[in-house]
Every structure is written in structure tokens, then in C-alpha cells.
């Protein structure tokens, strides 16, 4: 292969896509791009400006997409997301953002707004990109495609522990309900639904820890 590989990793929430993709990128000496962070960045902007009666005014958000500037910057070796020159890398993981991100991400105008940015980053190869529609829509010609899944109970427990570790109070059943709702919205949306690409390798890490999952994915690449 004359250029470094392009790797697409899709899958459900709380399967460890982002953290695992980041480590794989480091192991291979290539770039990692968390596309979910981009949708979360737009959701942060929407919550800040267009949240009305606990609902985001989607038409208003869409009409102001050009007011949004998203950029990944290398901070101490890690790519962190900036929204209009403000670091929001911690803010995008707030549970409130999780509550709204699927609604924002299913909008065709939002997906089109981000599509060219994602493809441009992959043009020269040497990138791991994770998200919901990377292997099916964003990078259909990726050199390697993986689709990550785990049982709903296992994913809910992981997310629950993550929230508690970050100092956020959480209820396990509410966390699970939120995950299942996002699964439904992401899988049933008309534009770029979450699904496994026909040529993607399925990675079920219900019974695998992070290190085992990374080793399994790398075994296919190496």
C-alpha cells in the first residue's frame, strides 16, 4: 500500500469506538478523527442558541449552520474540538448534549454540512475515522471497515460507570433508555442511518475489554 490506510469504525454508542480508535491510530502512527464529536459540537451550538421549551428549533439551527466553525486542534498530543475558537472538548460529553445529539445528527442538512469536512481529512490516507455512517456513506472506499456492537445492558453499564467517574449523578435505567432511544433514532433515520456496511468486519465486544478489542481489530489490519 503506497499510502497509510484509511480505517472506518462505525457502531453503537458506548462500544468504545472513540477511545479505541484513538489508541489504534496511535499504534499505527496515523490520525484519529471522532466524527461524533462534530455532531456533538453542532449540538452544543444548538443548545446555546436555539433551545426553546426543551426542544431545539431545528429550522433555525439549519438556517445558521454557516455561523458554526468546528476545528480539531492538537493539544498536548490529543486532538480537541473547538467551536468558534472555544475549546468544547469536555462540554460535548455532557449528558444534556447526549439527550439532543441524535435529533441534530439525523438532519440531512447537518450531515451534508459535515460530509465534505470529513472526506477532505481522509484524502491523503493515514486516518482512523469513527462514527455512525463512515463505512457506508462518508468513506465507502476505506481500506478497512469495522462495525462495533455490544449488548444494551453492557453498553448501559459502561456509560453509567463513565458518568459516575466523571462526577455526574446517573440512574442506570435512564442511561439504558437514553442509549436505546439513540439507537432507534440513529438506525431509523432516513439520511445515513446507522448500519453495518456489507464489507465491514463485525466486532462484538460484549465480553471483551478495551485491550482485547484493540488487539482483535489490529489483528485484521496487521
Amino acid at each position: 500500500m503506497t499510502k497509510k490506510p484509511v480505517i472506518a469504525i462505525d457502531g453503537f454508542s458506548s462500544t468504545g469506538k472513540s477511545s479505541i480508535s484513538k489508541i489504534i491510530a496511535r499504534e499505527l502512527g496515523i490520525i484519529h478523527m471522532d466524527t461524533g464529536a462534530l455532531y456533538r459540537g453542532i449540538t452544543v451550538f444548538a443548545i446555546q442558541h436555539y433551545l426553546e421549551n426543551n426542544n431545539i428549533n431545528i429550522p433555525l439551527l439549519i438556517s445558521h449552520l454557516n455561523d458554526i466553525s468546528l476545528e480539531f486542534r492538537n493539544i498536548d498530543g490529543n486532538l480537541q474540538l473547538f467551536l468558534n475558537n472555544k475549546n468544547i472538548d469536555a462540554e460535548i460529553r455532557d449528558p444534556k448534549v447526549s439527550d439532543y445529539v441524535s435529533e441534530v445528527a439525523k438532519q440531512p442538512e447537518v450531515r451534508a454540512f459535515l460530509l465534505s469536512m470529513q472526506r477532505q481529512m481522509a484524502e491523503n490516507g493515514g486516518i482512523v475515522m469513527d462514527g455512525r455512517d463512515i463505512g457506508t456513506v462518508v468513506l465507502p472506499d476505506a481500506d478497512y471497515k469495522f462495525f462495533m456492537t455490544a449488548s444494551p445492558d453492557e453498553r448501559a453499564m459502561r456509560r453509567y460507570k463513565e458518568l459516575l467517574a466523571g462526577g455526574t449523578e446517573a440512574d442506570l435505567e435512564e442511561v439504558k433508555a437514553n442509549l436505546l432511544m439513540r439507537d432507534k433514532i440513529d438506525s431509523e433515520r432516513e439520511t445515513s442511518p446507522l448500519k453495518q456496511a456489507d464489507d465491514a468486519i463485525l466486532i462484538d465486544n460484549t465480553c471483551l475489554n478495551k485491550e482485547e478489542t484493540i488487539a482483535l481489530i489490529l489483528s485484521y489490519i496487521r
Side-chain angles (χ1 to χ4, degrees):
M1 195 175 295
T2 58
K3 66 176 185 178
K4 291 185 177 181
V6 172
I7 302 168
I9 300 182
D10 293 304
F12 292 100
S13 301
S14 298
T15 51
K17 290 191 310 296
S18 295
S19 59
I20 286 169
S21 296
K22 189 178 295 186
I23 294 171
I24 287 172
R26 188 166 66 237
E27 288 284 326
L28 297 176
I30 58 181
I31 295 170
H32 165 249
M33 182 178 182
D34 175 7
T35 64
L38 296 174
Y39 289 99
R40 285 175 172 270
I42 292 181
T43 304
V44 169
F45 182 85
I47 290 172
Q48 290 174 346
H49 299 281
Y50 307 121
L51 187 62
E52 303 170 358
N53 299 318
N54 293 320
N55 290 298
I56 290 174
N57 186 324
I58 295 295
L60 202 55
L61 168 64
I62 289 171
S63 69
H64 287 83
L65 286 175
N66 288 332
D67 294 337
I68 299 173
S69 173
L70 293 169
E71 178 187 6
F72 285 105
R73 298 181 187 175
N74 193 322
I75 308 295
D76 298 326
N78 293 310
L79 289 182
Q80 297 187 15
L81 185 65
F82 282 70
L83 167 64
N84 296 337
N85 291 315
K86 178 187 175 185
N87 191 329
I88 60 166
D89 210 64
E91 193 172 348
I92 60 174
R93 302 303 170 187
D94 189 283
K96 189 171 186 178
V97 175
S98 297
D99 290 340
Y100 292 101
V101 66
S102 289
E103 180 67 22
V104 170
K106 78 176 186 179
Q107 306 304 321
E109 295 87 351
V110 173
R111 305 198 74 80
F113 178 73
L114 292 176
L115 182 60
S116 60
M117 180 191 305
Q118 296 169 47
R119 286 180 172 168
Q120 192 172 34
M121 285 197 69
E123 279 183 356
N124 296 321
I127 192 168
V128 178
M129 197 174 290
D130 72 88
R132 299 276 198 285
D133 63 344
I134 309 305
T136 54
V137 176
V138 180
L139 303 174
D141 297 322
D143 300 302
Y144 300 94
K145 299 180 186 179
F146 299 93
F147 188 89
M148 293 181 59
T149 188
S151 72
D153 286 339
E154 177 62 24
R155 292 190 291 122
M157 181 58 72
R158 291 173 185 173
R159 178 61 176 153
Y160 174 71
K161 290 180 178 178
E162 183 183 68
L163 289 170
L164 293 184
T168 300
E169 292 186 9
D171 176 84
L172 180 58
E173 288 305 313
E174 288 182 3
V175 170
K176 182 178 178 180
N178 177 266
L179 284 177
L180 293 176
M181 179 192 69
R182 291 178 61 195
D183 290 349
K184 180 177 175 62
I185 293 173
D186 293 344
S187 300
E188 295 180 357
R189 66 188 178 215
E190 291 186 12
T191 304
S192 306
L194 167 64
K195 64 179 182 178
Q196 181 180 346
D198 292 338
D199 54 348
I201 298 166
L202 181 65
I203 304 292
D204 186 333
N205 67 359
T206 302
C207 299
L208 301 178
N209 61 30
K210 182 181 291 187
E211 291 72 23
E212 291 168 333
T213 303
I214 292 167
L216 177 59
I217 292 174
L218 286 174
S219 72
Y220 286 103
I221 298 171
R222 288 174 170 164

